[in-house]
Amino acid sequence: MESIAANLAAIRLRIDAACLKNHRDPSTVRLIAVSKTKQAEQIREAFDAGQIDFGESYVQEFLDKMSDPLLENQPLRWHFIGHLQSNKVRSIIGKVALIHGVDRLSTAEELSRRALQHGIEAEYLLEVNTSGEASKYGFEPEELLRQAPSFFMLPNCTLRGLMTIASPDPALARYEFRRLHRLLDELRELAPEPSILTELSMGMSQDFEAAIAEGATLIRVGTAIFGWR
Ligand SMILES: *Cc1c(COP(=O)(O)O)cnc(C)c1O
């Protein structure tokens, strides 16, 4: 196992190469280091190697780590990438830069209520089930477009884009990433303020290069940085 710093450097090279190949500016792709199940020490090691954005999937684990003395006073940017239940919104509001996994209106409504209470503006993405697998969370694309106006109306929370977890099969994944990109374009046509709908959170250790080729702005990489969970 290479060091975390070496893994990060290798991933950054691969991001640059994928951007070059697809005529994209590397500054338009943000790497989120997925640190779920990993210890504060390992997160600190990645931070010391220049990594700023981190993704966590479980509320209590995230709260424990963010308040760890190794991390709490550092300018890390946390992303909540797990499935978010409405009753957990109040635990993470104001503590994360972006919430990736909102999959129903009631969760966004709770986000809006809590953000208002805290006097902040929360940013979130809607999760889309692009693979059609019944086991996966997320909106069906048609349903998302139908409900979109309700999301645009909520105060104190801003919909910034879409997120998906693709099929393990790389050929299917590429197609699903393309589908998510198209759906974002369709969503923009319905949006009162299309210019803020910019984010496509897609691509993990196995498929982030395909996601970059299809327009990912946020890639979520765990195993390739921190090793197996
Ligand atoms: C765990 C996880 C990842 C990271 O997956 P790797 O294959 O380890 O890179 C990305 N996104 C989500 C939503 C995850 O839960």
Side-chain angles (χ1 to χ4, degrees):
M1 175 74 208
E2 295 286 327
S3 74
I4 288 170
N7 291 342
L8 271 169
I11 296 288
R12 293 201 171 281
L13 284 175
R14 285 170 61 189
I15 293 171
D16 288 350
C19 285
L20 189 67
K21 190 172 159 195
N22 293 284
H23 313 288
R24 296 190 57 189
D25 177 345
S27 72
T28 63
V29 179
R30 186 179 294 182
L31 171 62
I32 299 171
V34 176
S35 48
K36 64 181 182 219
T37 79
K38 301 298 172 181
Q39 305 297 314
E41 288 75 15
Q42 294 161 287
I43 299 175
R44 180 57 193 253
E45 201 176 323
F47 174 74
D48 288 340
Q51 179 63 29
I52 298 290
D53 290 273
F54 291 89
E56 288 284 338
S57 298
Y58 309 105
V59 171
Q60 193 53 51
E61 184 191 333
F62 159 62
L63 295 173
D64 291 345
K65 278 189 247 179
M66 80 166 291
S67 58
D68 189 288
L70 278 175
L71 303 175
E72 71 173 334
N73 293 315
Q74 306 301 327
L76 273 66
R77 207 154 40 213
W78 295 103
H79 295 250
F80 193 79
I81 63 168
H83 177 250
L84 185 61
Q85 292 168 292
S86 292
N87 62 358
K88 296 290 172 67
V89 166
R90 66 193 170 92
S91 307
I92 66 167
I93 190 84
K95 298 181 172 138
V96 293
L98 185 64
I99 297 171
H100 293 232
V102 174
D103 71 346
R104 63 195 60 199
L105 183 59
S106 56
T107 307
E109 286 170 340
E110 173 69 0
L111 197 58
S112 173
R113 258 194 304 277
R114 296 292 175 181
L116 194 65
Q117 273 178 4
H118 286 248
I120 59 170
E121 194 70 31
E123 301 202 339
Y124 69 101
L125 308 177
L126 291 177
E127 180 166 0
V128 181
N129 181 350
T130 49
S131 67
E133 285 171 64
S135 61
K136 290 222 174 117
Y137 290 114
F139 280 94
E140 301 302 322
E142 293 71 26
E143 187 59 20
L144 184 140
L145 292 174
R146 202 180 63 70
Q147 291 190 25
S150 309
F151 288 95
F152 296 142
M153 280 174 15
L154 296 173
N156 289 68
C157 69
T158 308
L159 177 60
R160 295 299 314 275
L162 302 176
M163 176 267 210
T164 200
I165 300 172
S167 300
D169 177 340
L172 286 177
R174 176 93 189 230
Y175 169 80
E176 290 159 14
F177 295 147
R178 190 171 305 169
R179 197 156 178 225
L180 195 73
H181 194 163
R182 245 189 252 131
L183 187 62
L184 184 66
D185 291 339
E186 291 175 77
L187 191 61
R188 276 206 195 101
E189 285 174 27
L190 303 175
E193 229 183 312
S195 65
I196 56 175
L197 268 175
T198 52
E199 306 302 322
L200 282 170
S201 171
M202 56 189 197
M204 320 202 308
S205 293
Q206 295 306 317
D207 54 19
F208 70 85
E209 281 138 328
I212 289 171
E214 297 298 342
T217 62
L218 299 160
I219 58 172
R220 311 177 307 264
V221 178
T223 311
I225 295 170
F226 294 108
W228 295 107
R229 290 182 291 271

